[in-house]
Amino acid sequence: MRHFTPNLGKKKKLVIFGGIIILLCAIVAVTRLVHPAGNQGTAARLQTTVDAASVQRADLVKHISLTGQTVPAAQVDIAAKYQGKVVAVNAVLGQQVTPGEVLVVQDTGDAELTIGQNQAAYSQAVADAIASEATVNANYDKAKADYRKALATYQRNKTVYDVGGISLDELELSEQQLADAKASLDSLTNQMSSGVPAAVQSSRAAAQKMQIAVSAAQKQKNDLIITAPRAGVIGYRQAEVGDMVAAGQKLISIFDNSRIYVDCQVPEQDLGALKLGLALGVQIESLGKTFPGKIIYISPAADSQNLVFTARIELDNPGNDVRSGMFSRVAVDAPLRQGVLIVPKEAVQEKDGQSFVFVIGQGNVIEKRIVEIGARSDQNIEILSGLNEGEQIAATNLARLRPNMIVAVRTPGARGDSQ
């Protein structure tokens, strides 16, 4: 016969009671995992904090940032046209020059000899042309006189022959002399063009050729004396007295900074925002200043290598501090749409091909609303339909939002591109 002690029954009850408590706790834990909001009743009781933005009507503006370099009104690189020795240099770096001012002189000795030779040959050719013309004219006059004499002799002999005064042989002899005289005259006449004999034209052409040779030699001499083609400042000099320079070698550069431009590279997607005459500010970073300017040129075609366009901006009174080659920045605020509904870009989400926002309704209750969007700027998006001006939408913590959720609004307010 077995005997149960009171202590053993009490321990068994405690074990059973503890097991029940553990089981209840496990059920509660599982319930919370499956239904995380179950301890609050409904999703509408959950809260999170969001920043709010107002749906406003304003201009949609695209901010474009361009970079470029300053360029002068002109940069002229002057090179030697002919090989030769430098005998004088009249230019120094930083010197202000005027058009026609002599900068570099090369040795002109050979050119002067060539001029003298060609001048002598020209004079000889002119003399030959005069002598040739005199000879040809004399021969022509003699041929005409011989023809007239032969004609008169033939006519006289013909009359005498008709009355039996001379024989037939004498008549035929005078007739032959007339034919010979006419042939000589026709030969000289056929050599003429517009009344000038070919021999005379040939000698005149030879004289003209030598005259051109004289002019060419004189021009070569002039090209050895290098002058400034325009006003400006000497910014490059690579020539010294005694140097033997080659044809095409760069010797001097003249910079005309009377006007300063900025050339910027513009991507195709930003080209539509730029117009001729558009006023804007150009920041020269090295000077820490911004200068007013306007667009005076937009390239008609894209660069074949970089596939970008070039816009040239003329600076208004940049002063002497702005020089060629300075790095520049240009900020352009280009209106894409005027007077449209806009919201911040970060407030719009997309899923399954649809765009939507979270509208903060009465009592700060969240409503998910499908919207139709239009153009985009750097910060904002145009709303074509789905929202009304003045409504508030959530701009932050969007991943945590659900329809019918109550939120705490931290910073309601408006955002916009308009200036």
Side-chain angles (χ1 to χ4, degrees):
M1 185 176 184
R2 296 181 178 178
H3 298 278
F4 294 94
T5 64
N7 289 338
L8 181 61
K10 185 176 182 180
K11 289 181 179 179
K12 187 175 182 179
K13 291 180 180 179
L14 290 175
V15 170
I16 295 172
F17 182 75
I20 294 173
I21 295 299
I22 292 173
L23 180 61
L24 290 175
C25 290
I27 293 173
V28 171
V30 171
T31 304
R32 288 186 176 182
L33 288 175
V34 176
H35 303 287
N39 60 331
Q40 297 184 15
T42 65
R45 299 181 183 275
L46 286 177
Q47 286 198 357
T48 188
T49 302
V50 298
D51 292 333
S54 292
V55 180
Q56 60 176 324
R57 189 171 297 277
D59 294 340
L60 188 67
V61 176
K62 184 175 185 179
H63 300 280
I64 301 173
S65 180
L66 305 176
T67 59
Q69 279 189 320
T70 56
V71 295
Q75 176 183 338
V76 181
D77 296 330
I78 303 173
K81 188 173 183 179
Y82 300 100
Q83 179 179 344
K85 183 178 181 180
V86 176
V87 297
V89 179
N90 302 324
V92 296
L93 292 176
Q95 175 183 340
Q96 185 77 36
V97 296
T98 57
E101 187 172 343
V102 176
L103 304 178
V104 178
V105 179
Q106 294 178 258
D107 185 8
T108 60
D110 292 341
E112 291 173 352
L113 289 176
T114 302
I115 292 173
Q117 292 173 347
N118 291 340
Q119 185 65 55
Y122 169 67
S123 299
Q124 182 180 352
V126 170
D128 291 344
I130 294 174
S132 175
E133 185 173 1
T135 300
V136 170
N137 289 337
N139 292 336
Y140 183 70
D141 292 340
K142 182 178 182 301
K144 287 196 297 184
D146 291 344
Y147 173 75
R148 286 194 296 266
K149 180 179 178 181
L151 179 61
T153 299
Y154 171 76
Q155 291 174 344
R156 183 174 62 252
N157 288 343
K158 181 70 170 59
T159 302
V160 174
Y161 172 79
D162 290 340
V163 297
I166 60 173
S167 64
L168 179 60
D169 291 339
E170 291 177 319
L171 177 62
E172 290 178 347
L173 179 61
S174 63
E175 185 178 5
Q176 182 62 45
Q177 291 174 343
L178 174 60
D180 292 343
K182 185 177 185 304
S184 298
L185 178 60
D186 289 344
S187 176
L188 292 175
T189 302
N190 292 335
Q191 294 180 25
M192 293 187 179
S193 175
S194 301
V196 180
V200 174
Q201 290 183 341
S202 177
S203 59
R204 288 179 179 177
Q208 184 179 15
K209 180 180 179 180
M210 295 313 303
Q211 185 181 27
I212 294 173
V214 171
S215 299
Q218 183 63 53
K219 185 178 185 304
Q220 180 177 355
K221 176 185 175 182
N222 294 338
D223 289 339
L224 293 172
I225 302 174
I226 300 173
T227 60
R230 64 180 299 149
V233 177
I234 302 297
Y236 175 90
R237 173 189 136 162
Q238 195 63 41
E240 299 295 340
V241 174
D243 286 348
M244 181 63 71
V245 298
Q249 180 178 335
K250 179 180 173 182
L251 305 179
I252 300 286
S253 290
I254 297 177
F255 293 84
D256 181 2
N257 289 338
S258 59
R259 292 190 303 277
I260 294 292
Y261 307 101
V262 175
D263 285 347
C264 298
Q265 304 302 309
V266 184
E268 181 179 354
Q269 61 269 23
D270 295 335
L271 193 65
L274 305 182
K275 304 294 181 184
L276 291 177
L278 178 65
L280 35 72
V282 178
Q283 182 185 12
I284 309 295
E285 291 201 343
S286 59
L287 300 178
K289 296 181 180 179
T290 299
F291 299 88
K294 65 178 179 180
I295 297 177
I296 62 170
Y297 167 78
I298 299 174
S299 59
D303 181 85
S304 58
Q305 294 182 348
N306 301 324
L307 300 180
V308 294
F309 295 80
T310 298
R312 170 162 287 191
I313 303 166
E314 181 178 10
L315 298 185
D316 183 18
N317 298 322
N320 296 328
D321 291 338
V322 181
R323 303 172 185 270
S324 175
M326 288 184 167
F327 184 76
S328 308
R329 290 188 181 275
V330 181
V332 182
D333 290 333
L336 300 178
R337 300 282 191 274
Q338 294 183 344
V340 296
L341 291 180
I342 61 173
V343 297
K345 290 174 63 174
E346 61 269 19
V348 180
Q349 300 212 345
E350 294 185 3
K351 185 176 181 180
D352 299 331
Q354 289 184 322
S355 300
F356 63 90
V357 298
F358 290 110
V359 179
I360 303 173
Q362 188 175 5
N364 291 347
V365 177
I366 290 296
E367 172 193 353
K368 180 179 177 181
R369 189 178 300 177
I370 304 298
V371 295
E372 181 182 0
I373 63 175
R376 300 170 181 260
S377 71
D378 300 314
Q379 297 179 352
N380 297 321
I381 295 180
E382 177 187 9
I383 299 298
L384 300 178
S385 63
L387 290 175
N388 298 314
E389 183 177 0
E391 286 187 301
Q392 298 286 312
I393 61 174
T396 59
N397 289 332
L398 303 185
R400 301 177 60 183
L401 300 184
R402 299 290 183 272
N404 299 322
M405 178 184 290
I406 298 175
V407 297
V409 178
R410 181 167 50 198
T411 338
R415 300 185 184 187
D417 287 327
S418 59
Q419 310 241 323

